[in-house]
Amino acid sequence: MLKFDEKLFLKLVEEEGLAFRGQIEDIVDGIAKRGYSNLFLIGAGGTIAMMYPYEYMLKSNSTIDVHAEIASEFMVMNNKHFSKDSVCIFTSVSGTTQETVAAAEFCKERGAATIALVAEPNTPLTQIVDHCITTGSEKHSFDTFFMLLYMVVFRFMYNNNEFPQYEQFTKEVSLLPRAILHAVKSFDKKAEEFAIKHKDTTYHMMVGSGNLWGNTYSYAMCILEEMQWIHARSIHAAEFFHGTLELVVEDTSVILCKGEDETRPLMERVERFAEKITKQLTVIDTKDFEMEGISEQFRKHFAVSINWSLLSRISVYLERERNHPLTLRRYYRQMEY
């Protein structure tokens, strides 16, 4: 087992992440009191993928008008829903992602309210937005951002009189880091086995839906393609049978990210098909993992964090088995393009 620093994880995600609850509530409550027309969740690459779960949560639990947009497309598309009354939310580990910084400037110049979650302090994005929560560490930043976004998004719902369970929900958010640790420990051997088995696999199909579509999209593109230079494709379970199924053969690696929300039957349909065709099926199902103290009604939301932590352990072992550091790049931030 490759080392997982439990103490550091709990310090960064549990202690420091949860310490921002009061600040988040002050920001969201102030905006709600002034009034707003809609929410825009804006990012690029891994950070727009991070927004997709929260767009789904809002669409399936709230009447708040929400739009998850890729930063560079958003700035050129002349989105008719966007106005000075919009609230624009950004995330960035480095605070320097070119497209995200430009989109924040774009929104700010047009009078929209801007909020950012950033790992690194004193970076361009932190200096542009109206409200910034700076976590101070790149380590486990996605895990921390997920927790902060739970509180941001569900606080907006609470203020919209749509989520009276907010107090209980945030108490259970505080239990999530321990649930993640438990899941990582119980999954670690499988993560290592996957990496050993697939170190030379040249192509993976990743299938997800609902709350886990963003993770599926992100892992295929940002981890397998960008960080490991492995051909991969993310496929939504609802679309799998409209083309992609024809490419599945006996030795096709198919990875299913199964969650616990309303779209689970879509994933089960893909699983039934894949079981009949390929011998290289991997199912990562959050339902297999205990979330101690977390209510059944909230598990579907927290599946996002559990799933990402499990995928992240696969990354660690792929890095070792392939002798390919996750930081290695040919082009990204290595040249002008």
Side-chain angles (χ1 to χ4, degrees):
M1 175 179 175
L2 289 176
K3 184 179 179 183
F4 183 87
D5 194 329
E6 295 181 23
K7 290 184 178 179
L8 178 62
F9 175 82
L10 289 175
K11 176 177 171 55
L12 295 177
V13 181
E14 183 178 53
E15 294 179 21
E16 297 183 6
L18 292 168
F20 293 107
R21 175 182 170 178
Q23 187 179 350
I24 287 171
E25 291 177 354
D26 287 344
I27 293 168
V28 175
D29 292 354
I31 291 172
K33 187 175 181 180
R34 291 193 301 273
Y36 64 97
S37 61
N38 49 33
L39 301 180
F40 276 81
L41 312 178
I42 302 172
T47 57
I48 184 56
M50 174 177 284
M51 296 302 194
Y52 290 146
Y54 300 94
E55 180 189 40
Y56 179 88
M57 291 174 201
L58 281 160
K59 284 184 173 180
S60 58
N61 293 276
S62 173
T63 58
I64 295 171
D65 186 33
V66 59
H67 307 264
E69 301 290 350
I70 301 171
S72 55
E73 182 180 49
F74 168 73
M75 287 185 289
V76 299
M77 72 186 296
N78 192 27
N79 192 307
K80 296 301 184 182
H81 295 271
F82 173 73
S83 73
K84 64 178 179 56
D85 297 317
S86 298
V87 179
C88 302
I89 302 172
F90 306 87
T91 60
S92 175
V93 176
S94 68
T96 63
T97 306
Q98 188 176 19
E99 299 95 331
T100 304
V101 170
E105 289 177 331
F106 178 94
C107 296
K108 185 75 178 291
E109 288 169 359
R110 286 155 181 79
T114 51
I115 305 170
L117 310 177
V118 185
E120 293 295 333
N122 304 314
T123 50
L125 186 57
T126 68
Q127 296 162 16
I128 293 168
V129 296
D130 300 315
H131 308 283
C132 188
I133 294 172
T134 307
T135 62
S137 174
E138 289 195 16
K139 190 73 173 175
H140 299 299
S141 55
F142 267 45
D143 295 297
T144 304
F145 286 170
F146 279 137
M147 291 186 65
L148 298 178
L149 285 168
Y150 287 129
M151 291 186 277
V152 170
V153 165
F154 283 88
R155 188 68 179 184
F156 272 108
M157 288 190 214
Y158 171 77
N159 279 303
N160 206 43
N161 297 317
E162 292 177 318
F163 195 67
Q165 314 99 306
Y166 176 80
E167 192 62 36
Q168 180 61 33
F169 179 78
T170 50
K171 285 179 182 177
E172 295 187 21
V173 169
S174 71
L175 302 175
L176 187 53
R178 303 277 173 174
I180 291 172
L181 277 181
H182 182 273
V184 165
K185 287 180 180 179
S186 58
F187 183 72
D188 201 78
K189 190 172 187 299
K190 290 182 180 178
E192 184 175 24
E193 289 171 352
F194 177 92
I196 292 170
K197 180 179 180 179
H198 287 288
K199 64 180 181 179
D200 297 320
T201 298
T202 58
Y203 173 65
H204 297 278
M205 288 183 182
M206 290 199 67
V207 185
S209 65
N211 285 349
L212 298 189
W213 169 241
N215 288 4
T216 307
Y217 173 77
S218 181
Y219 199 81
M221 181 173 66
C222 299
I223 307 299
L224 294 179
E225 291 183 338
E226 178 186 331
M227 298 185 185
Q228 286 296 300
W229 304 351
I230 299 171
H231 293 281
R233 186 184 170 201
S234 55
I235 309 111
H236 197 291
E239 288 288 270
F240 182 87
F241 294 98
H242 297 275
T244 306
L245 80 166
E246 291 295 338
L247 296 180
V248 181
V249 293
E250 188 177 69
D251 64 347
T252 304
S253 172
V254 178
I255 305 168
L256 306 185
C257 292
K258 286 181 72 177
E260 301 174 49
D261 61 44
E262 302 81 1
T263 67
R264 186 176 174 88
L266 304 180
M267 293 297 298
E268 291 172 336
R269 184 186 179 205
V270 175
E271 185 175 9
R272 287 193 298 270
F273 169 81
E275 285 175 335
K276 298 174 185 175
I277 310 298
T278 181
K279 293 181 180 179
Q280 303 297 330
L281 175 63
T282 303
V283 181
I284 302 172
D285 188 349
T286 62
K287 214 167 190 178
D288 293 338
F289 299 91
E290 181 185 358
M291 300 186 205
E292 188 176 350
I294 291 175
S295 308
E296 189 66 29
Q297 64 177 323
F298 299 146
R299 281 184 61 100
K300 65 180 181 180
H301 306 310
F302 296 148
V304 178
S305 293
I306 298 296
N307 173 266
W308 188 253
S309 70
L310 303 178
L311 292 173
S312 296
R313 287 309 286 171
I314 291 176
S315 305
V316 169
Y317 286 111
L318 280 176
E319 180 179 47
R320 183 193 73 184
E321 292 301 315
R322 292 170 51 77
N323 192 29
H324 188 121
L326 296 171
T327 54
L328 182 63
R329 303 289 187 278
R330 276 191 288 239
Y331 312 119
Y332 183 63
R333 298 199 181 202
Q334 304 301 311
M335 58 181 288
E336 291 295 326
Y337 46 78

